């Protein structure tokens, strides 16, 4: 259903060979079965060079750059027989591209993002990516995989794990299928006790998700009302 645009492989190969990069990612567009074409979703980092391993891990883990395997060219030595073992073992079928990118990130030191269009992604609004919510157990399995591969063993990348985890918890509270969870709230407070983590989280999260956050009872009521209204709007 997807398409590789003319000269895509030649273009990507030219960049990766010229700069001796580990990864070169091109641009992409989406199209629907009604022949509508629209841009890929926007990311913080879409053009330029990533020069260090820790920088690549941070951008990928925090969602600052595209998480897909498609639309890019990779050096073959980034992959081996163990690359997909954990995702198969834990039956990861959503976000598997993102997880795989993080698994191979241990070997990535230089990457290039270019604006050349190389890929057309067919968007199906009835696909698994459009209709499924990741359960808390599923999120936990992904974290186990990343821990098994020691993705965050480098000091400079350890903080991003806690920042993203805090954001994940907050978003969970406002998803009707998940909602408020007392255990996750306590985990969130532990993360927010670190001022540097707290400042990053508060500056990058929508304010509507942070109202009453310091007051557990009010926050629980607020998030439940939000979920109820969202549920009503979704199915009205």
């Amino acid at each position: 259903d997807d398409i590789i645009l003319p000269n895509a492989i030649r273009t990507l190969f030219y960049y990766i060979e010229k700069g001796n990069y580990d990864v070169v990612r091109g641009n992409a567009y989406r199209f629907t079965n009604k022949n509508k074409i629209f841009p890929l979703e926007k990311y913080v980092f879409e053009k330029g060079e990533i020069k260090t391993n820790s920088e690549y891990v941070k951008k990928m883990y925090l969602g600052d750059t595209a998480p897909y395997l498609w639309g890019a060219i990779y050096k073959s030595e980034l992959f081996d027989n163990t690359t997909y073992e954990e995702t198969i073992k834990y039956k990861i079928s959503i976000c598997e591209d993102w997880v795989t990118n993080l698994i191979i990130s241990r070997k990535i030191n230089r990457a290039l993002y270019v604006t050349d269009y190389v890929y057309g992604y067919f968007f199906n609004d009835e696909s698994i990516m459009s209709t499924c919510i990741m359960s808390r157990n599923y999120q936990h399995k992904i974290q186990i995989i990343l821990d098994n591969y020691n993705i965050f063993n480098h000091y400079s990348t350890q903080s991003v794990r806690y920042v993203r985890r805090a954001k994940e918890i907050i978003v969970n509270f406002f998803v009707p299928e998940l909602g408020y969870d007392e255990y996750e709230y306590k985990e969130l407070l532990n993360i927010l006790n670190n001022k540097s983590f707290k400042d990053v989280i508060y500056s990058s999260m929508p304010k509507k998700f942070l109202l009453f956050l310091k007051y557990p009872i009010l926050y629980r009521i607020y998030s439940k009302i939000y979920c109820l209204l969202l549920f009503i709007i979704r199915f009205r």
Side-chain angles (χ1 to χ4, degrees), residues 94-109:
I94 302 175
C95 289
E96 70 274 20
D97 278 15
W98 178 70
V99 174
T100 302
N101 257 309
L102 284 167
I103 289 173
I104 65 174
S105 70
R106 299 168 299 158
K107 304 175 184 178
I108 295 174
N109 293 303

Side-chain angles (χ1 to χ4, degrees), residues 82-92 145 148-149:
T82 67
T83 301
Y84 294 97
E85 283 184 353
E86 294 288 290
T87 51
I88 294 173
K89 174 183 176 182
Y90 287 97
K91 299 179 180 179
I92 302 300
I145 293 174
N148 287 345
Y149 281 98

